[in-house]
Amino acid sequence: MTNEHAHGHGHGHGHTHPHSEGIRRSYPPGVIGIHTLPADHHDGPWDSMIVPAGTKERLLSTALLVLRQGRLLSNLSGGPHGLIVLAGPPGTGKTTLAQGLAQAAALRMAPRGATTLVEVDPHAFPSELLGESQRAVSKLFLDTLPELAARRPHMVVLIDEVEALAVRRSSASFDTNPVDVHRATDAVLAGLDQLRARCPHVVLVVTTNFIEAVDEAVLSRADLVLKTTLPDVETIVGIIRGSLEELAGQWQEILPLAADHELHVELAKACDGLDGRRVRKAVLAALSGRPEIALSPGLVTADDLREAVRWATFA
Ligand SMILES: Nc1ncnc2c1ncn2[C@@H]1O[C@H](COP(=O)(O)OP(=O)(O)OP(=O)(O)O)[C@@H](O)[C@H]1O
Ligand SMILES: [Mg+2]
């Protein structure tokens, strides 16, 4: 991904983000990343996600419809909100799908200009100060996002872990959630409606691993709610094969293991119950079973994989 400066935004009070290259970049308040897509080196994650047939097509089409036709559709009595919700347990690929979707959509929109991915930090809005987070959330939807969208042809906004921002008011108790949380959620709802009115072509992707905690009125505004689940054995087989193929890309001695379907099935059965992240980690852990392999990963064997899976499923 290519980072860009948030030109002219958040002077003074914009928070400064330490960039990996050591350059400090300033983003508007609540924004932790601005990326210009498509970026060449960024197709991998979307392709590597194994999801039920039709899932990626629906996700991509939902985003493209809003990016391309959002302005026209806003004239309908029930136009899209441009809101996509990805919900499911930890490690089931929500963030990977959300970021991959931005890149996949950017590729399709590229002939008409770049797509900007804006990452919002839902934890950046302090809820302990009465009225403060409500104002910050309103500012995000009313000023920050429309200003960013105004100078860019296409924009996708990602709010990872949205439950931090839009707590379900009906279940938020007044002793655990200050009144301000309710106000922040109301501000999110008002913000969603106003963003849609001002920028009907902006796509907002939000993720949560606790859909029960996300406000019903927010979910009601979603054009698509996609629930990610723990992978079944067949999906785990695919994740194991994909992980080994990636390793074989670095160390070609691993190619025979990457092609051994029977081994993948055996390992996958043992991995049943793990989330996708932990399956990938189990494969990787085979490289850290012995110092020789850590130093020369091409030496890894089927037994190292079996042993790594035993470790992964033991905890
Ligand atoms: N169905 C899947 N197919 C392929 N890879 C998967 C799948 N599910 C998870 N993964 C892998 O697991 C890792 C973690 O995924 P990701 O971070 O997107 O999960 P998440 O749902 O956002 O988790 P969290 O709720 O903890 O933030 C990624 O490397 C991803 O590629
Ligand atoms: Mg995530």
Side-chain angles (χ1 to χ4, degrees), residues 188-204:
V188 169
L189 288 170
L192 283 174
D193 290 341
Q194 277 150 344
L195 184 67
R196 175 203 184 197
R198 285 184 61 182
C199 311
H201 57 301
V202 166
V203 172
L204 187 60

Side-chain angles (χ1 to χ4, degrees), residues 87-117:
T92 52
K94 300 179 298 294
T95 302
T96 309
L97 278 174
Q99 291 176 340
L101 171 63
Q103 164 75 357
L107 279 169
R108 299 298 284 266
M109 298 302 288
R112 302 179 165 271
T115 297
T116 305
L117 171 62

Side-chain angles (χ1 to χ4, degrees), residues 127 130-131 133 173-186:
S127 57
L130 202 70
S133 68
S173 94
F174 277 85
D175 25 283
T176 52
N177 293 284
V179 177
D180 203 38
V181 166
H182 295 244
R183 291 196 186 166
T185 299
D186 291 337

Side-chain angles (χ1 to χ4, degrees), residues 14-37:
H15 94 244
T16 315
H17 185 69
H19 189 256
S20 52
E21 286 149 34
I23 307 160
R24 293 179 75 81
R25 293 169 189 272
S26 176
Y27 294 124
V31 172
I32 46 170
I34 299 177
H35 313 277
T36 304
L37 302 178

Side-chain angles (χ1 to χ4, degrees), residues 48-50 89-96 209 235 239 276-277 280:
S48 74
M49 281 300 301
I50 301 169
T92 52
K94 300 179 298 294
T95 302
T96 309
N209 47 43
T235 304
I239 297 176
R277 178 188 286 131
R280 285 198 191 276

Side-chain angles (χ1 to χ4, degrees), residues 152-175:
R152 294 169 172 84
H154 314 118
M155 197 167 97
V156 176
V157 179
L158 171 58
I159 308 182
D160 221 349
E161 302 175 7
V162 73
E163 67 272 15
L165 206 60
V167 173
R168 184 169 284 218
R169 290 157 301 174
S170 60
S171 67
S173 94
F174 277 85
D175 25 283

Side-chain angles (χ1 to χ4, degrees), residues 64-116:
L64 289 175
L65 184 70
V66 170
L67 288 169
R68 184 73 180 89
Q69 319 292 353
R71 284 197 181 88
L72 277 177
L73 291 175
S74 66
N75 299 322
L76 304 182
S77 31
H81 267 85
L83 176 64
I84 296 174
V85 177
L86 302 177
T92 52
K94 300 179 298 294
T95 302
T96 309
L97 278 174
Q99 291 176 340
L101 171 63
Q103 164 75 357
L107 279 169
R108 299 298 284 266
M109 298 302 288
R112 302 179 165 271
T115 297
T116 305

